[in-house]
Amino acid sequence: MSTDSDSERTTIKVGEDSNENGIAKRWFRLVFRSIKAHPIPHIIGISAGNLFSLVVVGFTIVLGRVTDQVIIPGLDQGGVEGRTILGGFIAIVIVGLIRGFSVMLRRFFNFTAVEKTKQTWRLGIIDNLLDAPRAHYWSRSTGELLARVDTDVETATSVLMPLAFSVSVISLILVSLISLLIIHPLFFLVALLLFPILAVLQRLFVRAVEDPARRAQALIGEVSEIAHESLDGVMVVKTIGRQKQELDRLSESSQKLREERLKIGWQRAVFSPLLYHLPNLGILVLLMVGALLVDSGAATVGETVQSMALFMILTLPVQILGFMFQEMPRSVVAMDRIDEIFSIETVQYPKEGKVEKPVDIIFDKVGFSYPAENEDHVKQIVLENFSEKITEGESVALVGSTGSGKSTLVMLMSGLIEPTSGNITLGNANVSELGPDFVSDHIATVFQETFLFALSLRENLTLDKDIPDSDIYSALKVASAYDFVSKLPQGIETIIGERGVTLSGGQRQRIAIARALLRKPSALVLDDSTSAVDPKVEAEILQNIKTETNCSLLVIAHRLATIRLAQRVIFIDDGRVSASGSHDELLKIDDYANLVSAYEDVTL
Amino acid sequence: MTFLDGHDAVGKEFEAETQDLEGIEEVGALKILKRGLNASPELKAGVSLTALMALAVAGGKLLVPLTIKEVLDRGITTSGVNVSSVLFFSLIAMFLSIASMALGRATYYRLAKTAENVLMGLRVRTFEHLHKLSIADHVEARKGAYTARVTSDVETLTQFAQWGAIAWIINSIQILAVLVIMVVYSWHLSIVTLLVHAPLFPVLRWMQRRQLRAHDRVRSRVSDTLSVVSESIQGVDVVRSYGYRKKTRSKLHHAIGDQYKEQMVAQKYFSFVLPITDIIGVAAIASVVGAGVYWGPDWGVTSGELIAFVFLSNLLVMPISELGEVLTQTQTALAGWWKVLEVLDKEVEVKEPDQGMTLPDSPLDIKVEGVDFSYRTGGVVLDNVDIYIPAGISVAVVGETGSGKTTFAKLLTRLADPTSGRILINGEDLRKIDSNHRHRGIRMVPQDGFLFDTSVVENVRFGRNDAKRSEAEEAIDDLGLWSWVDQLPEGLETRVGERGEALSVGERQLVALARAQVADPGLLILDEATSAIDPETEQMLEATLERLAQGRTTVSIAHRISTAERSDLILVFDEGKIVEKGEHSHLVNSKGVYSKLYESWIGNTREV
Ligand SMILES: Nc1ncnc2c1ncn2[C@@H]1O[C@H](COP(=O)(O)OP(=O)(O)O)[C@@H](O)[C@H]1O
Ligand SMILES: Nc1ncnc2c1ncn2[C@@H]1O[C@H](COP(=O)(O)OP(=O)(O)O)[C@@H](O)[C@H]1O
Ligand SMILES: [Mg+2]
Ligand SMILES: [Mg+2]
């Protein structure tokens, strides 16, 4: 996976299997998906693993030979020539070198395969999130998503690490089993017995561990969610003195996580030593069988010793397989969580969009309600039958009480969310079909909540568009931000956030306005974007916008002077257009007058 | 494992602030271990018994092959087989095997328990520490990185604890035990074995340093990735409606790609350097055979002994190469541990007093004496602020954006301490006041009404730690918010979403106000806390707040002229200084900053 081919989407198909399927089956699919995505490193890794297995077998053969031809004659039969000793020495060293080499190959390619798989899946998660419907963001917390990108991917792939080794030990198993069969069928049977036992153990273990593993993985998500939320709101946590409660909240989840993990730990504690000693017990059985066979003359001493050595070889695969079995349930449940993200149905926006002149914005019987949390929750209708037309070049103020749906309307207009009924058109093109990308060529929205990235001011302003400095400065001037920006230590190169300067609320809002202006939109939407700016400056900004640009303007504001700047006011009440007209006309409506002139009543 | 010698920088996200901390390159694995052990008292609990048990388990692992060997040597020889002795020894070995299994089970579980306790303790303490850090340490995009400390970085230790740690203990003991047995068999051959292994030590030492540093960089990349992901999710609206999705995708792809590349750098040691242990292990066997046969007669080594020794050497290869397998995991864990320890080592600037002073329930008076303040970055934000605010009055703070009003409010609530000067509340230094009393008595409502992802009523209750539901309802009643609550889909039970995103921005501010009302503080600070609320509602709230203000001192950072007009005292901030103070009627005629501000306000908010 090349990261240079930047923004290409990674599409990952979700396995059709559900949680109904057994762990082993799902594990198999997981492995298969990884191999399919990155076959070459996997294949080389597995081949190298097989080489290693051969070396292990080869080593016993070489050692046996060296014993017979060097050690025994050397020490018991009056010595051997130096050349023979050297020969034995070199033979062993060569085996060692091949062993080392095979380990290098296996590790490198296996590691590459695993890391590439992690990368692919991470990219897949990211890409799906980037193209997920906006509504999806309401259903999962950021902290939870962080856990998917990070811990879940790590856990899902942890089963791939021993993969090459495990596959390769199969050849070890085959070699030793066949050799055993050739030596004596009884020895072969003893060895064969090992595998059903192993399979039973694996099943028992996996069954016992699956549920705690699933819960543990979910709890990691929860811990991440709590941590992220709590650190996100650290200011409020501090001001309301909730540190202790937040700590309790995290402790509680950590405690639960600990308990689930201990359940797994308990099973592991049973399983691990069992696995280690299982081959040992097998050898002992073999030894006893061998002794009896030798005694009855059915086998020779040599055969017994040789089959013991072969059996010893089986110790390694059993342990490796065991390790993989232990990782299986955790990995599989983590993979399920990743698949949840993969299976989000992403939105495909068109590659082309045609917006005709004049760029009028027309709301045609628009209705909207936010999705209910779940079925037994009430859906709240936010907008209903909302019809309006904003002609190109017009300046309109949208007025309505708190929670009346103004910001929702802004989101709908920018194509972020789709109306539940009705249509919004932009220059005769349906906004829902255009999608935010094409809408953004025409409408620039300053959202109510200012969001700046932890980047330089320049990047925050241009957002990856090629914009000459002079334009940036004039936009800053229009947004009345030029003065304070030029006082910053590095001007527009100043980095905001993490490593840089923190701006006050009003300063951030002005940057956001400049950012919108730089898009040179045909319509500018200001959603309460001057709430933290002094009234004087607010008036200045709006005046500048009116004189310096000729775009349509939709402004949501509370200050009277701002409202008065607009040619027309749309009064939204109860999710509908309650009235529309000039400010003075609307003042005749009591609800409107009460809403906008509240200050005057008090102070006059 | 030894100290690092490197010159590479630590992860870039700490660049700016870590001068006071040592980079990982100056710290070795041992030091991390030492510091880590200090940070985790859980590790010490019952450690000697566990160690003893681990010893026994490792012994058990050896005992079985050794017994098998004995049986082979004694029971089955070229001259025939001694069935009863074979059966006898085999049964003993089986018994040992099973005993060792049982012991292994107990030991593994003990180890797992210790590990889980340690991890939980570490996670919780780190989280606690993060919350203790001054607000200045919590800036924007650090969120992803800080979250990574309590999740991702701690998880690296989990991985390690589940396999690596146990492998280390058992295998080291096994190696030692085999070495001891080797010496008993033949000290000559033991020396040969050790000599062959000797080059391993400098190599491992050299590699360990580099590997640790590489893994440290991996951890930094991980927190970078998480920071970018967090940012891209929270900024989704801007990303989408500014055509920034493509670039965001490539930023994320790069972050993930960098993480991959850094992983690949870190793994090269694992892949290409560590297999040397396998080669040397086998070379040692070759040398034992060679030297044993060549000098055996001189050293009095018999063929049986030599074969036994080769067998022992083989027992050495396994644990050493297994340690090789876990080394990467170990280094990852050490690097993660280090990241966590770095947080724990961050000094807490706002230190809570041991025996704090109390605050009365009555209105509080405030004396600010020569207060200066500057953030970590940037210049002086507050400059010699001196002011006395008598108890029970209402104060309006006005000034241009960026003049330091919010910062002033932060200092009054002790989100940070003044760089110099002091703040007295009822005559007591704010720094000496007990934190619980401070939280209860002094309350700031910040501009962005951050809410927790739970119901409306719970969020209101959070205003005071022991607040009952009825008190939350009362606060809503006090502020006259029922008509709003009633139109919510689920009323008080409506879930507000992450940060409160399921409510409109103004609605969040309503909840934040109710939350403050529940606390009923002696000093209430409102930082443009009603900026997104419509005028009608706001007007209603202001009147209510005024009525409620009877029993408290109120400091409002004003965004409406009416707030200033009505207050008893107005403080005018300009570039971090209080340039004017007094009543509205007095200031408005003094032809100063305020009168100018007033002119423009009037011009902008009222019809003239
Ligand atoms: N993500 C969401 N999920 C559910 N309800 C929401 C969400 N966002 C807003 N709402 C509700 O929709 C209504 C309109 O909100 P909004 O458009 O933000 O109002 P405003 O006019 O103040 O901008 C409010 O009652 C709010 O509670
Ligand atoms: N966390 C911070 N780190 C660095 N500088 C900051 C931080 N917060 C605010 N500042 C700077 O301090 C100055 C005063 O900010 P603030 O008190 O928020 O102003 P106001 O509330 O009057 O608008 C601004 O120039 C701002 O850039
Ligand atoms: Mg809004
Ligand atoms: Mg402020």
Side-chain angles (χ1 to χ4, degrees):
Chain A
M1 164 104 318
S2 139
T3 46
D4 299 328
S5 62
D6 284 353
S7 15
E8 264 167 51
R9 244 188 129 271
T10 326
T11 318
I12 289 171
K13 280 215 211 79
V14 187
E16 304 92 59
D17 60 349
S18 63
N19 299 354
E20 315 293 293
N21 279 339
I23 291 271
K25 218 166 167 185
R26 281 143 74 203
W27 164 82
F28 193 75
R29 279 203 51 92
L30 186 161
V31 169
F32 182 71
R33 281 160 78 178
S34 171
I35 294 181
K36 208 171 151 200
H38 303 288
I40 294 175
H42 267 302
I43 288 171
I44 303 183
I46 290 171
S47 313
N50 278 300
L51 182 59
F52 180 81
S53 300
L54 292 179
V55 172
V56 171
V57 179
F59 190 50
T60 50
I61 297 171
V62 170
L63 260 190
R65 282 249 174 132
V66 168
T67 309
D68 289 346
Q69 293 173 12
V70 184
I71 298 182
I72 307 276
L75 290 174
D76 293 353
Q77 295 154 7
V80 286
E81 278 178 48
R83 283 213 347 250
T84 318
I85 300 180
L86 195 63
F89 178 83
I90 290 173
I92 300 179
V93 167
I94 287 176
V95 174
L97 285 176
I98 301 175
R99 180 184 163 117
F101 177 68
S102 75
V103 171
M104 280 181 199
L105 277 185
R106 170 175 55 81
R107 283 196 187 153
F108 178 75
F109 285 100
N110 191 212
F111 209 100
T112 307
V114 174
E115 290 305 321
K116 273 188 188 292
T117 304
K118 283 185 198 169
Q119 193 190 20
T120 309
W121 289 350
R122 290 208 164 102
L123 292 176
I125 294 177
I126 288 304
D127 284 335
N128 263 38
L129 286 179
L130 279 176
D131 295 339
R134 174 67 178 82
H136 183 83
Y137 287 69
W138 298 321
S139 60
R140 272 197 194 95
S141 69
T142 314
E144 168 75 39
L145 291 172
L146 290 183
R148 309 264 161 145
V149 175
D150 182 51
T151 324
D152 284 325
V153 171
E154 291 292 331
T155 311
T157 49
S158 71
V159 81
L160 297 174
M161 214 47 216
L163 182 70
F165 220 170
S166 316
V167 175
S168 69
V169 295
I170 291 173
S171 61
L172 262 191
I173 295 174
L174 286 180
V175 168
S176 52
L177 282 183
I178 292 170
S179 315
L180 280 172
L181 186 62
I182 294 169
I183 293 171
H184 201 288
L186 253 182
F187 291 147
F188 169 74
L189 278 183
V190 173
L192 211 56
L193 216 61
L194 216 55
F195 296 94
I197 296 179
L198 197 63
V200 169
L201 283 179
Q202 186 267 352
R203 272 195 98 81
L204 288 177
F205 175 76
V206 159
R207 264 210 209 130
V209 158
E210 182 177 359
D211 284 337
R214 184 190 319 285
R215 284 193 294 267
Q217 218 57 28
L219 281 163
I220 294 175
E222 193 177 302
V223 165
S224 173
E225 182 177 330
I226 294 174
H228 192 272
E229 179 180 44
S230 190
L231 295 170
D232 197 8
V234 66
M235 170 102 160
V236 167
V237 172
K238 276 184 189 296
T239 52
I240 66 180
R242 259 189 82 75
Q243 282 102 330
K244 192 175 166 300
Q245 284 71 17
E246 288 298 292
L247 188 62
D248 290 347
R249 198 151 74 102
L250 186 98
S251 306
E252 203 183 302
S253 293
S254 308
Q255 179 73 37
K256 279 196 235 149
L257 177 59
R258 173 181 165 273
E259 274 158 25
E260 296 302 335
R261 286 238 173 102
L262 274 183
K263 280 182 203 153
I264 303 173
W266 173 250
Q267 299 297 337
R268 267 172 184 264
V270 178
F271 195 57
S272 287
L274 211 58
L275 272 181
Y276 186 88
H277 288 283
L278 192 65
N280 279 341
L281 290 174
I283 293 175
L284 291 172
V285 172
L286 195 96
L287 192 56
M288 293 194 279
V289 171
L292 293 172
L293 285 179
V294 172
D295 198 41
S296 66
T300 68
V301 172
E303 283 168 352
T304 311
V305 174
Q306 208 184 338
S307 46
M308 303 262 306
L310 284 166
F311 207 101
M312 286 262 223
I313 293 175
L314 283 176
T315 319
L316 187 67
V318 169
Q319 272 169 33
I320 297 294
L321 287 178
F323 178 72
M324 210 163 70
F325 293 156
Q326 295 190 25
E327 290 295 308
M328 243 184 219
R330 283 186 348 119
S331 293
V332 167
V333 297
M335 194 69 216
D336 290 345
R337 288 163 55 83
I338 297 173
D339 275 337
E340 273 174 39
I341 308 287
F342 287 162
S343 59
I344 297 172
E345 226 164 286
T346 55
V347 214
Q348 301 291 326
Y349 293 119
K351 294 259 179 281
E352 267 171 53
K354 209 162 137 267
V355 175
E356 291 164 16
K357 287 254 161 201
V359 191
D360 297 339
I361 304 166
I362 299 169
F363 298 88
D364 180 23
K365 300 202 188 81
V366 172
F368 183 80
S369 47
Y370 285 98
E373 209 179 306
N374 57 49
E375 269 144 36
D376 31 274
H377 283 237
V378 193
K379 253 198 205 171
Q380 184 197 18
I381 294 168
V382 177
L383 291 173
E384 204 178 4
N385 235 336
F386 184 97
S387 295
E388 244 326 314
K389 178 176 178 184
I390 300 170
T391 38
E392 188 171 350
E394 194 184 13
S395 68
V396 177
L398 185 62
V399 175
S401 59
T402 306
S404 58
K406 304 181 295 293
S407 298
T408 306
L409 198 69
V410 167
M411 297 254 287
L412 287 165
M413 252 174 91
S414 42
L416 288 169
I417 52 180
E418 290 177 22
T420 24
S421 63
N423 270 320
I424 303 172
T425 52
L426 173 71
N428 273 336
N430 193 329
V431 165
S432 311
E433 279 159 23
L434 285 175
D437 289 346
F438 285 104
V439 174
S440 73
D441 291 341
H442 303 276
I443 303 180
T445 309
V446 181
F447 295 98
Q448 190 166 16
E449 278 177 290
T450 322
F451 190 90
L452 299 183
F453 297 91
L455 300 169
S456 70
L457 267 182
R458 176 199 292 282
E459 264 215 72
N460 265 293
L461 287 163
T462 60
L463 289 183
D464 206 34
K465 279 217 160 53
D466 247 340
I467 298 175
D469 278 11
S470 55
D471 282 13
I472 296 181
Y473 288 120
S474 54
L476 285 173
K477 278 182 191 141
V478 174
S480 292
Y482 182 77
D483 283 349
F484 81 82
V485 170
S486 54
K487 274 189 222 143
L488 290 174
Q490 277 105 33
I492 56 167
E493 308 302 340
T494 309
I495 298 193
I496 326 228
E498 179 169 10
R499 272 152 278 167
V501 170
T502 310
L503 302 175
S504 79
Q507 292 169 336
R508 295 163 65 90
Q509 286 186 333
R510 284 182 270 172
I511 297 295
I513 294 174
R515 168 162 76 193
L517 288 168
L518 281 172
R519 315 262 112 185
K520 302 223 183 326
S522 35
L524 179 67
V525 181
L526 302 177
D527 185 358
D528 212 0
S529 319
T530 43
S531 60
V533 178
D534 319 319
K536 185 179 79 174
V537 180
E538 179 180 15
E540 208 174 278
I541 296 171
L542 289 167
Q543 205 55 58
N544 290 344
I545 293 175
K546 283 197 107 177
T547 51
E548 304 284 325
T549 71
N550 50 6
C551 55
S552 337
L553 183 67
L554 179 72
V555 51
I556 297 172
H558 299 310
R559 286 179 186 145
L560 213 45
T562 315
I563 299 171
R564 287 188 63 81
L565 275 178
Q567 294 163 332
R568 193 160 64 94
V569 178
I570 300 173
F571 178 42
I572 171 173
D573 194 16
D574 234 4
R576 301 161 197 261
V577 181
S578 171
S580 135
S582 78
H583 173 64
D584 291 324
E585 284 164 26
L586 290 192
L587 274 178
K588 296 189 193 91
I589 302 168
D590 280 351
D591 281 350
Y592 178 78
N594 287 342
L595 185 66
V596 296
S597 40
Y599 303 126
E600 291 175 279
D601 297 345
V602 175
T603 41
L604 286 181
Chain B
M1 285 178 283
T2 44
F3 295 89
L4 293 165
D5 63 343
H7 36 74
D8 286 283
V10 213
K12 66 177 175 209
E13 86 268 33
F14 276 118
E15 237 160 46
E17 275 115 325
T18 39
Q19 286 95 343
D20 48 332
L21 292 165
E22 296 161 86
I24 200 162
E25 67 265 35
E26 283 133 39
V27 189
L30 276 184
K31 202 158 171 191
I32 296 178
L33 266 177
K34 224 159 117 191
R35 242 153 145 183
L37 293 187
N38 278 333
S40 296
E42 294 92 347
L43 259 178
K44 290 175 196 136
V47 70
S48 27
L49 180 57
T50 312
L52 220 73
M53 288 165 75
L55 198 71
V57 171
K61 280 192 162 187
L62 280 180
L63 226 50
V64 178
L66 286 177
T67 320
I68 293 171
K69 206 190 118 24
E70 284 303 295
V71 178
L72 278 178
D73 284 357
R74 284 157 214 261
I76 304 178
T77 54
T78 28
S79 49
V81 52
N82 181 345
V83 178
S84 58
S85 118
V86 168
L87 290 185
F88 176 72
F89 275 109
S90 299
L91 286 175
I92 286 188
M94 271 190 172
F95 171 75
L96 285 174
S97 225
I98 291 166
S100 157
M101 225 148 71
L103 192 63
R105 171 184 184 150
T107 313
Y108 275 58
Y109 188 62
R110 249 184 103 85
L111 285 170
K113 209 161 162 176
T114 310
E116 290 302 329
N117 290 344
V118 167
L119 291 170
M120 187 179 117
L122 197 63
R123 200 192 296 277
V124 170
R125 271 192 296 277
T126 309
F127 182 75
E128 184 179 19
H129 195 84
L130 282 171
H131 269 302
K132 278 190 188 150
L133 292 178
S134 144
I135 198 79
D137 285 313
H138 288 273
V139 210
E140 294 294 313
R142 183 73 50 80
K143 280 174 303 200
Y146 276 172
T147 309
R149 300 290 166 266
V150 233
T151 55
S152 187
D153 291 329
V154 174
E155 284 307 305
T156 61
L157 280 163
T158 309
Q159 292 275 317
F160 174 67
Q162 282 174 354
W163 183 33
I166 296 173
W168 269 104
I169 296 171
I170 306 268
N171 287 314
S172 326
I173 294 174
Q174 195 174 334
I175 291 169
L176 278 179
V178 170
L179 285 177
V180 168
I181 300 173
M182 279 182 159
V183 173
V184 173
Y185 267 83
S186 159
W187 63 268
H188 286 109
L189 291 175
S190 305
I191 289 177
V192 172
T193 307
L194 284 179
L195 276 180
V196 178
H197 278 101
L200 213 53
F201 293 98
V203 170
L204 284 183
R205 188 186 144 120
W206 168 87
M207 187 205 72
Q208 194 272 337
R209 298 165 176 178
R210 272 161 189 77
Q211 210 188 7
L212 184 54
R213 209 184 312 140
H215 280 285
D216 182 61
R217 274 192 239 115
V218 173
R219 297 319 308 158
S220 299
R221 289 299 83 78
V222 171
S223 34
D224 283 353
T225 305
L226 294 188
S227 291
V228 186
V229 174
S230 160
E231 190 179 60
S232 311
I233 294 173
Q234 298 203 322
V236 57
D237 289 335
V238 175
V239 167
R240 293 191 173 187
S241 51
Y242 277 75
Y244 196 48
R245 191 195 316 231
K246 197 164 158 234
K247 174 73 186 195
T248 303
R249 197 189 302 280
S250 91
K251 266 203 293 188
L252 285 161
H253 281 214
H254 271 291
I256 292 169
D258 285 349
Q259 190 180 330
Y260 166 79
K261 279 183 207 138
E262 212 64 80
Q263 275 285 7
M264 291 307 287
V265 170
Q267 67 86 38
K268 71 179 185 219
Y269 301 103
F270 173 63
S271 300
F272 297 121
V273 184
L274 269 182
I276 198 177
T277 57
D278 292 79
I279 298 174
I280 284 189
V282 176
I285 295 179
S287 311
V288 163
V289 170
V293 175
Y294 194 77
W295 287 295
D298 301 339
W299 295 343
V301 176
T302 66
S303 66
E305 274 167 354
L306 187 56
I307 294 171
F309 209 91
V310 169
F311 177 82
L312 283 173
S313 303
N314 232 339
L315 283 185
L316 212 52
V317 174
M318 262 301 273
I320 290 183
S321 76
E322 192 172 334
L323 284 187
E325 300 280 338
V326 296
L327 197 58
T328 285
Q329 205 188 35
T330 310
Q331 303 282 29
T332 305
L334 281 176
W337 210 359
W338 174 242
K339 284 268 179 275
V340 172
L341 291 172
E342 253 181 344
V343 168
L344 286 175
D345 283 349
K346 241 181 186 226
E347 202 193 330
V348 175
E349 284 176 355
V350 178
K351 290 196 187 69
E352 300 296 350
D354 294 334
Q355 284 269 298
M357 303 283 184
T358 59
L359 282 179
D361 271 343
S362 54
L364 302 172
D365 78 7
I366 310 160
K367 194 162 188 198
V368 180
E369 291 183 347
V371 163
D372 291 343
F373 185 79
S374 34
Y375 288 98
R376 299 264 161 85
T377 50
V380 179
V381 174
L382 290 180
D383 185 3
N384 203 11
V385 174
D386 256 307
I387 187 74
Y388 175 69
I389 300 174
I393 71 163
S394 67
V395 181
V397 177
V398 298
E400 278 188 35
T401 32
S403 58
K405 306 181 297 290
T406 299
T407 308
F408 179 65
K410 282 182 189 163
L411 294 191
L412 289 183
T413 34
R414 211 176 169 218
L415 288 180
D417 282 333
T419 327
S420 66
R422 58 181 191 158
I423 297 171
L424 303 173
I425 304 286
N426 276 13
E428 295 295 349
D429 193 318
L430 183 56
R431 282 173 286 213
K432 297 212 178 85
I433 294 167
D434 176 67
S435 64
N436 287 325
H437 276 263
R438 189 179 74 233
H439 293 313
R440 174 84 202 266
I442 306 175
R443 176 56 58 85
M444 166 159 88
V445 185
Q447 186 177 353
D448 90 289
F450 177 95
L451 302 183
F452 295 92
D453 188 3
T454 165
S455 67
V456 169
V457 66
E458 277 302 300
N459 268 292
V460 175
R461 270 185 59 194
F462 286 167
R464 212 184 65 229
N465 291 335
D466 53 354
K468 293 189 203 59
R469 191 188 162 95
S470 61
E471 289 172 274
E473 291 175 8
E474 219 170 279
I476 289 170
D477 202 38
D478 284 344
L479 294 176
L481 295 178
W482 279 116
S483 58
W484 168 67
V485 169
D486 286 339
Q487 56 83 42
L488 288 174
E490 314 265 318
L492 280 178
E493 301 305 330
T494 306
R495 197 140 171 195
V496 303
E498 189 177 358
R499 300 177 67 99
E501 70 180 354
L503 297 183
S504 86
V505 181
E507 290 171 328
R508 287 176 227 170
Q509 291 186 335
L510 296 179
V511 179
L513 281 174
R515 184 164 66 191
Q517 178 58 26
V518 163
D520 194 14
L523 167 60
L524 177 65
I525 303 162
L526 302 171
D527 185 2
E528 309 193 8
T530 51
S531 59
I533 299 175
D534 66 73
E536 195 177 13
T537 312
E538 186 186 16
Q539 214 48 49
M540 183 272 294
L541 279 172
E542 288 217 338
T544 320
L545 286 173
E546 201 176 359
R547 180 163 51 77
L548 295 167
Q550 307 298 317
R552 61 176 72 125
T553 313
T554 314
V555 174
S556 323
I557 297 177
H559 60 117
R560 305 268 194 246
I561 197 67
S562 52
T563 317
E565 278 174 330
R566 278 192 310 233
S567 59
D568 303 313
L569 174 68
I570 297 169
L571 305 178
V572 185
F573 273 74
D574 191 27
E575 300 199 339
K577 292 194 183 69
I578 297 186
V579 289
E580 280 167 38
K581 61 184 170 214
E583 272 178 54
H584 173 73
S585 55
H586 167 71
L587 287 183
V588 84
N589 295 320
S590 68
K591 299 262 174 287
V593 179
Y594 182 77
S595 66
K596 276 203 219 110
L597 210 60
Y598 182 72
E599 301 270 293
S600 69
W601 261 355
I602 274 295
N604 197 38
T605 50
R606 304 227 174 103
E607 297 180 79
V608 265

